[in-house]
Amino acid sequence: MSWWRKREGPPAGDDAVTDPNLPVIRLEHVSKIYKGEGAEVTHALDDVTVDIRRGEYVSVSGPSGCGKTTFLAVLALLDTPSSGRYWLNGRATDQLSASERARVRNLDVGLIFQSFNLLGDMTVYENVEYPLTLRGVPAAERRARVDAALDRVGLTPRAKQRPGSLSGGHQQLVAVARAITGRPAILLADEPTGNLDSKSGEALMQMFGELHAGGATVCLATHDPRWVTQAQRHLYLFDGRLVDRPEPDP
C-alpha cells in the first residue's frame, strides 16, 4: 500500500526496543474525576483496568456521557488520570515530562477528534503537512506523504482550500489524512464517521482495516454497530466503568 507503511524503529521516548510481549496500552484502576461547584463530582472514568495489545483493533462504545471521549483523551496523553496508572509502550506515563508526552503524541499516536482541531489559517494541504514539519521530516518526504494521504481520502482537489470552506464531512477527512500521514503506531479516533455520509463511512472503515493490517494498533469510540463488527475486541463503558455489554432486548 503506497499510502501507508509501518514506521520502523522503537517508540518515541524509549531508548531501548520495547518488549513486544508487553501490551502497548495498560490501564490499572484508572479514574478521572471532575469537580464542579460545591460538592458536585463527576466520575468520567471509574476504576478502569484494561490492556490493549500491539496490533489489536478495539472499539469502545456506550451511551452518551459514559466516558468514551475521556478514555481516548487519557490514552492520547491529552488528559491525566486522577488516580490509577497508565503504561504506554511499557513506560509509566506519570513519569514522562511534558516534552516527552508531546513527543510521544507527535510520533507514536495518530488522533482523530470529533471537533477536527484544524488550523483555520492554513490550507488543507498545510494542515496535513504540519505535524510532519514539527517532526523535521524532509520536504520531499513530506510532499510524498501528504499527497498520498490526501489522495487516499479523496481530497486532492481541495488541497488549497481552507477548512472553513469545507463541509463537516470533508473537514473530518482532513483530520483523518493528518492522522495517517504520520504513520502512527497507535491510531485513536473519536466517532470517526460522525460527520460522514454512508459511502464515505464505508471507505473510512476500509482504510482503518488497512491500517490495522499494516500493523497499527487501532482504538476508536463509536456508536456505529458496523465498527463494532469490524473490530477484533469490544469494550463497553457505562457511567465511566468498563462493564459487560448488555444483551439486546428479544
Side-chain angles (χ1 to χ4, degrees), residues 7-53:
R7 195 184 68 247
E8 302 295 334
D14 203 345
D15 295 331
V17 177
T18 307
D19 183 348
N21 296 314
L22 291 173
V24 66
I25 288 168
R26 169 167 285 173
L27 301 184
E28 287 192 354
H29 304 292
V30 165
S31 295
K32 181 63 183 181
I33 298 171
Y34 295 100
K35 296 181 179 180
E37 295 184 5
E40 182 182 356
V41 173
T42 299
H43 290 264
L45 294 176
D46 189 2
D47 196 32
V48 172
T49 295
V50 67
D51 285 354
I52 297 176
R53 304 201 71 83

Side-chain angles (χ1 to χ4, degrees), residues 31-32 89 147 186 200 217:
S31 295
K32 181 63 183 181
N89 281 317
D147 286 347
I186 304 165
S200 297
T217 303

